[in-house]
Amino acid sequence: MPFNKRANYDLELAECTPNPGFQEDRGSSQDYPAVLPAEVKREADGEYTQIKPYAGMPKEVLLLYSSQARYRVPREVLFWLTVACTLALLAVTVAIIVMSPRCLSWWQTSPVYQVYPRSFKDSDGDGVGDLNGIRQQLDHFLHLNIKTVWISPFYKSPMKDFGYDVEDFRAIDPIFGTMQDFENLLADMHQRDLKLIMDFIPNHTSDKHRWFNLSRTRDPSYEDYYIWTDCNATDPRPNNWVSIFGNSSWTYDDVRGQCYLHQFLKEQPDLNFRNPKVKREIVDVIRFWLKKGVDGFRMDAVKHIFEAAHLRDEPQVDPDKPPEEITTEWDLYHDYTTSQLGLHDMLRDWRAEMDAYSREPGRYRFMVTESYDYHEIDKTMMYYGTPLIKEADFPFNFYLLDLPQNASGWWVKHLVHLWMGNMPEGRWPNWVVGNHDRPRIATSVGQAYVPVLNMLLLTLPGTPTTYYGEEIGMENINITASEVQDPFGKYNISNSRDPQRSPMQWSGEVNAGFNTETNLTWLPVHPSYPSVNVETQRADSGSVLAQYRSLNALRQAELPLHRGWFCYVHVDSNVFSFLRELDGLRRAFLMVLNFGKEPATTDLSSVSELPDQLEVLMSTNPANDGKVFQKSRILTAAGEGLVIRYHTDTRFNPSRPGQCYVSEKACYLSVLDLLYKC
């Protein structure tokens, strides 16, 4: 660039870093220096011709040299290399995001633990468990590595059905505490990264509910909130419909002069969901608790929500049976009182409400449905929704509750396959072996089989549900007629659900540590509590509790166990065996579970994908941990289960697609230690 003005020359030298080659002119400040340094040469036309750039050079000099090839080319190479690396990194990031399988949600990674609040922990000495009692025992869930807790009803209630008869959906019953107690419990649970699932009872209310009292007096706004029909006060049977608890599902109301429907107790009148106002009321209740911060709902008795409007008699199972002898639910085909048109539309509406509150990251709201459909499993599967419209995250799977009917490997496989073979593709399974309505599994199949049942529960694919006390092997209590609390048992003591609802056994102290303030318990404590309790079993590495905890930790730590393939390997009269594997991962797991009455030798020599020698990672008999078996001769005692970890490069599932299931296929890339869709 031309540089002819002397004033500029002096100015730039004065402003820049001192140049060691510059010689100050002692003469007139208006004259150029007589001689420039050898390093700074200038032609007559004012252009610089020096060979090397120097520190403090003016920008004109810098631009002159920066345009030379030896400076320009490296600069451009570095620039385009940076652009290429940025684009490559962006492409890899997008590819990883696109190819990565969906992350499992919180309700998929942890077992669901059911708390029956009356029986879990009493904090105030009245003999009944409460919300503060649950709060005191939150560390128990952390010890078991459980993140999801389902609490049975604690709404304000007359307690005719222990909370399933709701008097006020927006209030806590004083026997369990206050709304502040609930909010404190929820805050403490969230602080510990625990999720709270509430029981929600949409089908009916208590007859003490404000809505019912207004409806029976024919208040114009509430007149049709329940199912009313004309009937005769002396013979209140508009049709042959029967209550779940027995006898007619209709009761005459003197105030209104009509009969109302109740599919459960007469103190639990059914809501009329064909009334849009009722639908809005229930949605408002759901929103109320979601705003409180609850993480999900277990929707109770959903198949009963709608009834046929025509109120016709239901078909009799035995057509020849006299109508007056139709007194139990098993006497009728429930064509008009269960699974009616409109049910699934409403469940989808509730799902939409849950989704609206699930937009905050990490705050997904979970929904599970309860419906005993027995042999009509296709009806149960409908609660998953359709490929386009989701309903429940899963419906409860109650088929393992039938395990006591036939203790054999064949029967266990049948019950497992009943779900896996009917579940819609891509859906998430779940497993239940006990709850507040069914006898404890330790009583119905025997204490010796509890560890192998827990092993089955925690190694099958999907989400297991544990009823309080199953983690220590609690059994049913024996009660006398005078001790019966359950209204179902008051009709027939053999139907009482009290035996499986006894107080939780925390320690060997008085009342098993359930109530340490007084000597009151709402039901008797099981006499086994001095040895079968949490405190004792936490100190014993071979206890049922310790094995449950270890299995749950293994399940959550190992990819094949919580999101890998599930494949049937072997079944006989004693043993049910399956494996869990993940494509791309050499590590896999084989389960050999003996549900029979005698020892068994299992021969898996025909399974070429298994190595010849198999080492036991965990046995329900700790003495067998680490034992090595030949695959042609795997020994198990009656009630023993084995978790065998092995390594192989050959997958089992590709050659046996009819024996294997996976909810969402994923592969493991060992080089990058990541999962991808495949």
Side-chain angles (χ1 to χ4, degrees):
M1 176 183 290
F3 190 79
N4 297 321
K5 293 186 179 180
R6 180 176 176 180
N8 287 345
Y9 178 76
D10 291 339
L11 179 63
E12 291 192 16
L13 287 178
E15 291 180 348
C16 297
T17 304
N19 184 355
F22 175 73
Q23 295 181 1
E24 184 180 359
D25 182 7
R26 301 295 183 182
S28 171
S29 61
Q30 301 298 317
D31 297 328
Y32 288 101
V35 180
L36 289 172
E39 295 84 355
V40 185
K41 299 294 186 179
R42 190 168 69 86
E43 297 294 338
D45 61 359
E47 297 291 338
Y48 286 108
T49 60
Q50 71 177 61
I51 298 174
K52 297 179 180 180
Y54 58 91
M57 72 185 79
K59 67 179 180 180
E60 289 81 5
V61 178
L62 178 63
L63 292 173
L64 175 67
Y65 285 100
S66 67
S67 63
Q68 295 180 8
R70 60 178 174 172
Y71 298 111
R72 186 185 73 253
V73 172
R75 186 174 67 248
E76 292 180 354
V77 169
L78 287 174
F79 171 77
W80 290 111
L81 185 60
T82 301
V83 170
C85 289
T86 302
L87 292 175
L89 184 61
L90 181 62
V92 169
T93 302
V94 171
I96 290 176
I97 293 173
V98 171
M99 295 186 65
S100 294
R102 180 183 57 84
C103 292
L104 296 182
S105 188
W106 55 264
W107 53 272
Q108 297 172 302
T109 58
S110 165
V112 174
Y113 188 102
Q114 182 189 355
V115 169
Y116 194 69
R118 295 182 68 90
S119 301
F120 198 63
K121 183 71 169 72
D122 176 18
S123 69
D124 57 11
D126 65 356
V128 178
D130 46 50
L131 297 178
N132 283 332
I134 299 172
R135 188 179 174 199
Q136 291 174 4
Q137 298 296 340
L138 293 181
D139 287 344
H140 180 61
F141 307 132
L142 300 181
H143 178 72
L144 296 177
N145 203 22
I146 283 172
K147 301 296 184 183
T148 306
V149 181
W150 154 34
I151 305 178
S152 294
F154 46 80
Y155 306 101
K156 185 177 181 182
S157 166
M159 296 296 164
K160 295 296 184 180
D161 191 17
F162 297 125
Y164 286 94
D165 50 324
V166 180
E167 181 179 345
D168 187 344
F169 284 108
R170 293 178 174 86
I172 308 296
D173 195 272
I175 200 169
F176 297 123
T178 65
M179 184 61 75
Q180 186 62 54
D181 292 334
F182 169 78
E183 292 171 353
N184 292 340
L185 170 63
L186 183 61
D188 279 5
M189 289 181 67
H190 285 170
Q191 189 175 15
R192 289 170 165 82
D193 197 26
L194 297 171
K195 306 296 185 181
L196 189 153
I197 299 172
M198 283 183 64
D199 236 325
F200 190 66
I201 302 94
N203 178 69
H204 50 263
T205 69
S206 165
D207 61 353
K208 303 299 182 185
H209 198 288
R210 183 177 66 91
W211 300 343
F212 186 74
N213 288 322
L214 291 169
S215 184
R216 69 195 305 212
T217 58
R218 297 184 183 269
D219 182 290
S221 298
Y222 295 89
E223 185 173 5
D224 296 327
Y225 264 47
Y226 296 83
I227 311 295
W228 295 96
T229 190
D230 293 330
C231 66
N232 188 328
T234 59
D235 184 22
R237 286 176 63 94
N239 56 32
N240 70 345
W241 295 359
V242 176
S243 162
I244 300 300
F245 288 96
N247 299 317
S248 176
S249 57
W250 296 95
T251 293
Y252 181 78
D253 181 64
D254 293 329
V255 175
R256 178 154 170 155
Q258 286 185 305
C259 284
Y260 64 87
L261 176 70
H262 54 89
Q263 296 202 57
F264 293 85
L265 293 174
K266 65 181 179 63
E267 294 87 0
Q268 295 170 294
D270 277 34
L271 286 164
N272 177 17
F273 278 92
R274 301 192 188 280
N275 183 343
K277 292 182 181 180
V278 173
K279 291 183 178 181
R280 287 195 294 270
E281 292 273 18
I282 293 300
V283 168
D284 286 345
V285 173
I286 291 173
R287 290 173 180 168
F288 173 83
W289 291 105
L290 290 175
K291 288 176 183 177
K292 287 283 184 184
V294 300
D295 300 289
F297 293 104
R298 174 243 190 204
M299 299 297 185
D300 178 70
V302 291
K303 75 175 184 178
H304 299 283
I305 288 175
F306 280 92
E307 306 82 16
H310 54 64
L311 305 184
R312 296 173 189 158
D313 281 355
E314 291 190 310
Q316 294 184 193
V317 173
D318 180 2
D320 298 326
K321 193 168 187 177
E324 61 273 12
E325 295 181 14
I326 303 297
T327 59
T328 74
E329 62 172 321
W330 310 111
D331 292 328
L332 299 173
Y333 293 112
H334 299 287
D335 295 346
Y336 305 140
T337 55
T338 63
S339 305
Q340 297 297 295
L341 188 66
L343 168 61
H344 292 280
D345 291 332
M346 193 173 63
L347 290 174
R348 290 164 193 159
D349 290 342
W350 294 349
R351 174 76 265 172
E353 290 296 329
M354 308 286 280
D355 289 343
Y357 284 83
S358 298
R359 293 169 184 162
E360 183 182 348
R363 291 305 309 275
Y364 181 80
R365 308 305 175 97
F366 168 77
M367 187 172 91
V368 57
T369 53
E370 183 229 26
S371 179
Y372 287 92
D373 294 302
Y374 306 105
H375 63 281
E376 297 178 303
I377 192 170
D378 55 316
K379 290 184 178 180
T380 302
M381 295 301 163
M382 291 179 68
Y383 295 110
Y384 276 114
T386 70
L388 298 178
I389 304 177
K390 184 178 180 180
E391 292 182 25
D393 290 292
F394 55 71
F396 266 138
N397 170 10
F398 296 123
Y399 291 95
L400 286 183
L401 293 172
D402 292 334
L403 273 170
Q405 294 180 16
N406 182 354
S408 72
W410 285 109
W411 182 241
V412 175
K413 182 190 175 181
H414 165 72
L415 296 177
V416 170
H417 190 67
L418 196 59
W419 194 269
M420 298 303 293
N422 287 282
M423 184 178 66
E425 184 177 358
R427 298 302 187 183
W428 189 258
N430 72 102
W431 313 94
V432 177
V433 296
N435 62 26
H436 60 290
D437 287 329
R438 295 299 183 93
R440 288 191 176 275
I441 201 72
T443 297
S444 54
V445 302
Q447 185 68 245
Y449 290 85
V450 171
V452 72
L453 284 168
N454 282 335
M455 184 172 283
L456 173 72
L457 198 67
L458 292 166
T459 55
L460 284 171
T463 299
T465 296
T466 294
Y467 182 50
Y468 83 95
E470 286 177 357
E471 73 274 28
I472 59 173
M474 280 179 59
E475 298 179 82
N476 285 3
I477 59 171
N478 294 318
I479 58 169
T480 63
S482 62
E483 294 172 322
V484 171
Q485 302 287 329
D486 180 21
F488 205 7
K490 291 179 180 179
Y491 286 103
N492 183 343
I493 191 171
S494 64
N495 292 330
S496 176
R497 297 165 296 180
D498 292 330
Q500 58 262 31
R501 299 176 178 182
S502 62
M504 178 67 175
Q505 295 162 205
W506 293 106
S507 69
E509 300 176 12
V510 63
N511 300 324
F514 166 73
N515 176 8
T516 58
E517 303 294 326
T518 65
N519 198 30
L520 298 175
T521 58
W522 78 283
L523 282 174
V525 176
H526 197 285
S528 69
Y529 79 87
S531 58
V532 180
N533 65 71
V534 172
E535 185 178 75
T536 298
Q537 293 196 14
R538 285 186 71 163
D540 180 2
S541 61
S543 67
V544 175
L545 180 71
Q547 291 183 6
Y548 183 99
R549 182 172 184 254
S550 298
L551 281 166
N552 192 26
L554 181 69
R555 174 187 180 272
Q556 297 185 41
E558 292 289 352
L559 284 171
L561 289 178
H562 66 255
R563 70 179 308 156
W565 286 92
F566 163 78
C567 300
Y568 301 115
V569 172
H570 174 84
V571 63
D572 59 35
S573 59
N574 293 306
V575 171
F576 173 48
S577 179
F578 58 92
L579 62 80
R580 306 295 310 280
E581 63 182 15
L582 186 71
D583 292 325
L585 187 66
R586 295 191 68 247
R587 188 171 62 254
F589 293 86
L590 172 70
M591 270 55 69
V592 182
L593 311 176
N594 188 339
F595 293 95
K597 301 297 184 183
E598 55 190 22
T601 300
T602 304
D603 181 3
L604 299 181
S605 56
S606 61
V607 184
S608 59
E609 293 84 356
L610 294 175
D612 291 334
Q613 289 191 327
L614 299 167
E615 182 177 352
V616 176
L617 175 67
M618 185 183 302
S619 170
T620 55
N621 177 4
N624 289 333
D625 290 355
K627 185 173 288 188
V628 177
F629 291 107
Q630 295 294 320
K631 70 176 179 179
S632 60
R633 188 175 171 79
I634 303 173
L635 305 178
T636 52
E640 182 180 8
L642 307 176
V643 175
I644 295 170
R645 183 168 58 191
Y646 65 95
H647 295 78
T648 180
D649 292 317
T650 306
R651 300 272 71 82
F652 184 90
N653 71 82
S655 60
R656 298 171 175 84
Q659 296 176 232
C660 298
Y661 300 84
V662 69
S663 290
E664 184 176 350
K665 189 177 179 182
C667 295
Y668 179 74
L669 184 62
S670 58
V671 175
L672 299 178
D673 188 27
L674 58 79
L675 288 173
Y676 64 94
K677 295 178 183 177
C678 54

